[in-house]
């Protein structure tokens, strides 16, 4: 089939592009390279450079595509707190623009990258999809707005939409640089460089770390599962295991074969205490199982960091 991956030059999107190309699909990428990188781009992909909020470009990119995987977004929570307007334009307006282009061009299904941040940290753990959503940053608001747009486009226009709430994705190509980097690449980079990894707060805050190829697999399954089961719905994509930041650091140090002496820094405002997804609905309706355990995922990520920097 022909598929469009928005954000296909980014961390998760580029792995998805590789998987689609590997199985013989014809792949387009729509990306403005805000955080994405040309080095991530699969050479077999056809590139449409520009913003998902550009109506004309989005329509052209959707032309003749059966499925759109919509991953393009400004995804750093802290950046959204500092710069809410560009986040809203890329995420909320960008998602609406992609849905409208998909509708206009007769796309069958849109698989949307949402986020566990929509829960806001108050829901019972493990968290099911029907838990209350209390977004606590402009980023989380934008992701939740995108989910509602997806549902409404299914209900009003019959576009098959499936929203996936990713939980803390990690893996090769996740950037360890920049003020908004995620904890796994930051820890691995520090350990490789012989620096002390910085732990915000007491380190007992816990996350549900989900390896990138499991998220790619979830996207592929969400694109092909029967519409009667999943269209217009939302699913957690989570391994379903809680790991504290200190446990993560210990595992990373084991994998790297070094000692880790953390440096503690003040807790970050709005940091959620616990996060763990109930992955039952995705297993039932989409046959998704996130099976890569933390040490295996960390070893693969470390290997890629050593090879490619
Ligand atoms: N990484 C995670 O842990 C995580 C967790 C939950 C949800 N998500 C979601 O997954 C998706 C992919 O995230 P990622 O971690 O790969 O981030 P990323 O920053 O590596 O990828 C995002 C991509 O979108 C592109 N982009 C940004 N704004 C754009 C715009 N206006 N028009 C076109 N392209 C644009 C960037 O250049 C980049 O290539 C995002 O939607 C994010 O919200 C990620």
């Amino acid at each position: 089939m022909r598929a469009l991956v928005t954000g296909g030059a980014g961390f998760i999107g580029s792995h998805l592009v590789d998987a689609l190309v590997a199985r013989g699909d014809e792949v387009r990428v729509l990306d403005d390279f805000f955080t994405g990188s040309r080095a991530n781009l699969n050479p077999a992909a056809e590139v449409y450079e520009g913003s998902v909020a550009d109506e004309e470009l989005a329509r052209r990119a959707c032309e003749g595509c059966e499925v759109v995987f919509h991953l393009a977004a400004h995804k750093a929570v802290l950046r959204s707190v500092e710069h809410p307007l560009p986040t809203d334009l890329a995420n909320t307006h960008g998602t609406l623009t992609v849905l409208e282009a998909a509708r206009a061009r007769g796309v069958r299904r849109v698989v949307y990258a949402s986020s566990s941040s929509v829960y806001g940290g108050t829901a019972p753990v493990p968290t099911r999809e029907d838990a209350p959503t209390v977004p606590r940053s402009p980023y989380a608001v934008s992701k939740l707005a995108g989910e509602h747009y997806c549902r409404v486009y299914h209900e009003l226009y019959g576009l098959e939409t499936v929203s996936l709430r990713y939980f803390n994705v990690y893996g090769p190509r996740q950037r360890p640089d920049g003020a908004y980097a995620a904890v796994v690449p930051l820890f691995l980079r520090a350990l490789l460089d012989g620096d002390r990894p910085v732990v915000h707060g007491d380190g007992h805050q816990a996350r549900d770390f989900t390896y990138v190829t499991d998220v790619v697999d979830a996207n592929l399954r969400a694109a092909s599962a029967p519409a009667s089961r999943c269209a217009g719905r939302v699913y957690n994509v989570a391994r379903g295991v809680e790991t504290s930041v200190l446990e993560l650091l210990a595992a990373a140090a084991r994998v790297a074969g070094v000692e880790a002496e953390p440096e503690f820094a003040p807790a970050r405002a709005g940091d959620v205490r616990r996060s763990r997804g109930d992955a039952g609905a995705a297993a039932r309706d989409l046959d998704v199982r996130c099976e890569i355990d933390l040490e295996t995922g960390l070893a693969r990520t470390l290997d890629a960091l050593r090879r490619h920097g």
Side-chain angles (χ1 to χ4, degrees):
M1 70 172 182
R2 187 185 288 147
L4 171 66
V5 180
T6 74
F11 157 49
I12 303 169
S14 65
H15 286 278
L16 176 59
V17 171
D18 289 348
L20 290 164
V21 168
R23 72 176 196 186
D25 288 348
E26 204 180 304
V27 185
R28 288 185 189 159
V29 167
L30 171 52
D31 201 299
D32 68 356
F33 298 95
F34 179 65
T35 48
S37 148
R38 282 172 212 284
N40 290 343
L41 276 177
N42 188 301
E46 189 187 354
V47 181
Y48 289 66
E49 184 170 350
S51 175
V52 283
D54 177 335
E55 282 177 55
E56 210 270 317
L57 182 66
R59 270 199 303 270
R60 266 201 291 129
C62 283
E63 184 79 54
C65 287
E66 185 185 339
V67 174
V68 173
F69 298 93
H70 177 42
L71 287 87
H74 287 200
K75 71 110 201 264
V77 171
L78 196 59
R79 185 192 288 120
S80 82
V81 174
E82 291 165 355
H83 308 288
L85 290 178
T87 297
D88 182 74
L89 180 62
N91 297 11
T92 316
H93 190 67
T95 297
L96 182 57
T97 307
V98 167
L99 289 168
E100 188 54 16
R103 177 172 86 95
R105 289 296 176 257
V107 168
R108 178 177 61 82
R109 186 168 296 188
V110 175
V111 181
Y112 168 63
S114 186
S115 161
S116 60
S117 65
V118 300
Y119 295 119
T122 48
V125 173
T127 306
R128 282 186 4 182
E129 290 83 349
D130 56 4
T133 47
V134 191
R136 294 186 191 279
S137 66
Y139 167 76
V141 169
S142 74
K143 286 280 134 180
L144 186 58
E147 286 185 6
H148 284 300
Y149 275 134
C150 285
R151 179 181 49 75
V152 162
Y153 264 65
H154 175 60
E155 291 169 3
L156 291 182
Y157 309 118
L159 179 65
E160 296 174 12
T161 56
V162 184
S163 295
L164 302 177
R165 291 177 177 160
Y166 306 168
F167 280 68
N168 289 80
V169 189
Y170 72 102
R173 301 185 194 151
Q174 193 171 26
R175 292 162 70 134
D177 54 329
Y180 305 119
V183 64
V184 169
L186 279 177
F187 278 1
L188 292 177
R189 183 80 264 165
L191 293 173
L192 282 183
D193 291 349
D195 296 335
R196 289 178 67 187
V198 177
V199 171
H200 291 272
D202 63 8
H204 292 291
Q205 66 273 35
R207 297 289 178 271
D208 190 342
F209 294 101
T210 308
Y211 189 64
V212 65
T213 54
D214 280 336
V215 177
V216 167
D217 181 65
N219 271 274
L220 299 179
R221 289 173 189 275
S224 60
S228 56
R229 236 184 267 165
C230 63
R233 301 195 57 185
V234 172
Y235 295 96
N236 290 336
V237 175
R239 176 147 165 76
V241 176
E242 229 171 311
T243 304
S244 77
V245 167
L246 287 177
E247 287 167 342
L248 170 72
L249 181 56
R254 264 197 310 281
V255 166
V258 297
E259 294 285 312
E261 183 58 42
E263 185 181 325
F264 288 91
R268 279 198 288 226
D271 225 4
V272 166
R273 197 66 192 157
R274 294 177 68 194
S275 171
R276 178 178 153 210
D278 181 321
R284 185 193 63 222
D285 291 356
L286 309 176
D287 200 21
V288 166
R289 277 167 193 77
C290 295
E291 283 172 337
I292 308 286
D293 65 73
L294 187 64
E295 295 221 357
T296 304
L298 287 174
R300 291 182 190 173
T301 311
L302 185 72
D303 187 47
L305 260 182
R306 280 193 171 125
R307 279 187 289 117
H308 306 296

